[in-house]
Amino acid sequence: MKHLKGSCHCGEIEFEFDSETPVPFMRCFCSICRKTSGGGGYTVNIMGLTDSLVITKGADKLKSYRAVKDKTKPQSEQTLCQDRFFCPTCASYLWAHSDEWKQWIYPYASAIDTPLKAPPSTTSLMLNSTAEWADPRRQPKRDVLNETFEEYPDYSLEMWHKKHGELV
């Protein structure tokens, strides 16, 4: 069991919980995760025990959003998925909770302040609803074509597009 602490970007909400599964390996590419909190096209969640969740700061500020699973269905047939809890001031998503699995919360790895172990491998799921630009099956092999920088690269977004023949 590992005790973890998390917070939003602006610091108005802080929380802590216990986790038996603290390694952030699973990347969800569903359209809900992508649109609500996945700036990279996906969200990474870990799992925590609901009964151990303590909001240590800002409980009165916390908001939630419950998305529709399939908006293409008629409204009478639509079902809601888990609640996604976030800070209304800075819009940081903090954790999700489902009525279906009440015993667990699903904190967003990006909201965790306690150092987390790098996963030895990753799992990508919900690829049936991924955006083409984010689909890991279409990405270059990271060990060959993925440039990495400690801070900013020495080129702009425009320069990258020009270099790769993608400027429109």
Side-chain angles (χ1 to χ4, degrees):
M1 189 75 66
K2 185 166 183 167
H3 189 74
L4 301 173
K5 294 182 179 185
S7 64
C8 64
H9 185 262
C10 72
E12 289 198 11
I13 299 173
E14 296 176 359
F15 62 100
E16 52 189 73
F17 63 97
D18 294 326
S19 176
E20 296 174 320
T21 57
V23 179
F25 76 94
M26 190 174 289
R27 297 174 177 183
C28 182
F29 286 82
C30 80
S31 63
I32 299 167
C33 284
R34 176 172 35 92
K35 288 192 172 253
T36 60
S37 61
Y42 60 87
T43 295
V44 178
N45 293 90
I46 58 176
M47 195 166 71
L49 302 172
T50 301
D51 289 344
S52 70
L53 176 63
V54 177
I55 302 165
T56 56
K57 182 179 176 186
D60 59 322
K61 295 176 175 77
L62 192 65
K63 299 290 182 194
S64 69
Y65 170 69
R66 184 175 268 200
V68 174
K69 283 187 181 179
D70 185 352
K71 293 191 291 186
T72 63
K73 291 184 176 181
Q75 194 167 11
S76 62
E77 297 175 23
Q78 292 178 351
T79 58
L80 299 175
C81 65
Q82 60 199 11
D83 285 301
R84 288 163 163 74
F85 292 87
F86 65 96
C87 172
T89 302
C90 65
S92 296
Y93 270 76
L94 305 170
W95 69 84
H97 184 259
S98 172
D99 291 338
E100 194 171 351
W101 299 289
K102 291 181 184 288
Q103 67 271 37
W104 296 306
I105 55 169
Y106 301 94
Y108 296 94
S110 57
I112 304 305
D113 299 320
T114 306
L116 297 173
K117 180 181 174 185
S121 65
T122 60
T123 298
S124 297
L125 64 127
M126 301 299 288
L127 295 177
N128 61 338
S129 62
T130 189
E132 185 175 334
W133 62 265
D135 191 331
R137 298 167 295 189
R138 298 174 183 253
Q139 300 298 314
K141 295 206 180 303
R142 296 197 186 282
D143 58 343
V144 177
L145 299 174
N146 186 38
E147 295 181 278
T148 60
F149 298 89
E150 292 297 317
E151 292 190 17
Y152 294 106
D154 59 356
Y155 52 82
S156 68
L157 290 165
E158 182 181 23
M159 290 166 68
W160 184 95
H161 280 76
K162 285 180 179 176
K163 177 182 174 183
H164 292 89
E166 299 291 341
L167 188 66
V168 292

